[in-house]
Amino acid sequence: MRDYREFLKETLIDEDTLQERIAALGAEISREYQGKSLHLICILRGGVMFLTDLMRQISIPHTIDFMAISSYGAGSRRSSGQVRLTMDLKDDIGGRDVLLVEDIVDSGYTLSSILELLTLRKPASLKVCTLLDKAERREVDVPIDYCGFVIPNAFVFGYGLDLDEYYRDLPFIGIVNPERFQPPE
Ligand code: IMP
């Protein structure tokens, strides 16, 4: 695989800015869930970098779990409104205070489907923390309780987000050069 710089148009959010904002989110979440049984759910694979940094900024005891989903239509990021569960949670969430940790909300269809699915399992509360919000692309209304950054309508990668499964390890968020990489429709 080629060097990421070949695909990078520009850095959108650098490492220091990301970490500073995540520290602030962690502090806010710690305050608001004080005395509760906070349970973080990470959506694989894009949310994994965010989860591991965020949890280190949360000062109250908490637990984590993972689930994986795929949108209908292989290779598609354009959700049809339905998602398929490819890996379920390990633990029951009934009666627990659940915070869903997402990498990015775009049209909102993915998040909407996940929330529908999790609500059926009767958590005590269910909130959403997303690192990135492409607000202007929203097609379905979804509640976002904690948001790292509202970003413009551009395809981004790094810090958990991939280009054909690569570059998730980059410590910053970059905007893809559309002449070098065609984002999935
Ligand atoms: P939505 O259902 O349209 O909100 O899509 C959300 C999903 O699309 C995210 O969880 C990502 O997997 C993917 N996605 C949307 N925009 C981007 C992007 O700019 N870079 C990488 N993945 C993206």
Side-chain angles (χ1 to χ4, degrees):
M1 199 57 182
R2 288 170 291 173
D3 191 285
Y4 76 85
R5 290 177 191 85
E6 282 188 41
F7 303 104
L8 182 66
K9 184 173 165 225
E10 61 187 275
T11 298
L12 180 65
I13 309 169
D14 65 32
E15 184 173 1
D16 287 349
T17 309
L18 271 178
Q19 294 302 333
E20 223 172 90
R21 182 72 189 118
I22 292 168
L25 283 173
E28 192 183 341
I29 291 166
S30 305
R31 270 195 309 276
E32 292 182 17
Y33 282 90
Q34 190 73 50
K36 292 192 171 168
S37 60
L38 175 59
H39 187 55
L40 303 174
I41 292 181
C42 173
I43 311 298
L44 296 173
R45 285 167 252 187
V48 77
M49 292 276 272
F50 181 37
L51 173 86
T52 55
D53 280 340
L54 181 67
M55 65 187 287
R56 282 178 284 189
Q57 299 292 344
I58 295 178
S59 58
I60 57 168
H62 58 274
T63 51
I64 61 170
D65 204 350
F66 298 88
M67 66 191 286
I69 48 116
S70 73
S71 298
Y72 284 112
S76 163
R77 76 182 169 105
R78 194 143 181 73
S79 314
S80 57
Q82 280 299 314
V83 294
R84 189 166 55 90
L85 197 59
T86 56
M87 189 190 94
D88 204 348
L89 299 170
K90 185 164 170 283
D91 297 330
D92 188 11
I93 59 167
R96 303 176 81 171
D97 291 299
V98 173
L99 182 60
L100 196 61
V101 178
E102 262 281 32
D103 51 358
I104 185 166
V105 181
D106 187 5
S107 69
Y109 282 120
T110 304
L111 179 59
S112 167
S113 297
I114 295 170
L115 288 175
E116 210 171 285
L117 193 129
L118 294 180
T119 302
L120 293 173
R121 301 181 185 187
K122 308 250 183 303
S125 67
L126 178 57
K127 289 192 174 185
V128 175
C129 176
T130 186
L131 179 65
L132 306 174
D133 179 5
K134 270 192 212 174
E136 67 186 74
R137 295 247 316 163
R138 197 74 82 257
E139 289 175 29
V140 53
D141 208 21
V142 280
I144 295 179
D145 302 281
Y146 306 94
C147 171
F149 305 87
V150 174
I151 64 165
N153 179 15
F155 199 75
V156 294
F157 71 110
Y159 198 74
L161 296 160
D162 69 307
L163 294 185
D164 283 344
E165 292 302 325
Y166 285 87
Y167 316 125
R168 293 187 194 273
D169 54 302
L170 298 176
F172 60 87
I173 303 279
I175 295 183
V176 85
N177 180 344
E179 285 164 21
R180 297 291 180 87
F181 183 88
Q182 205 52 53
E185 267 314 307

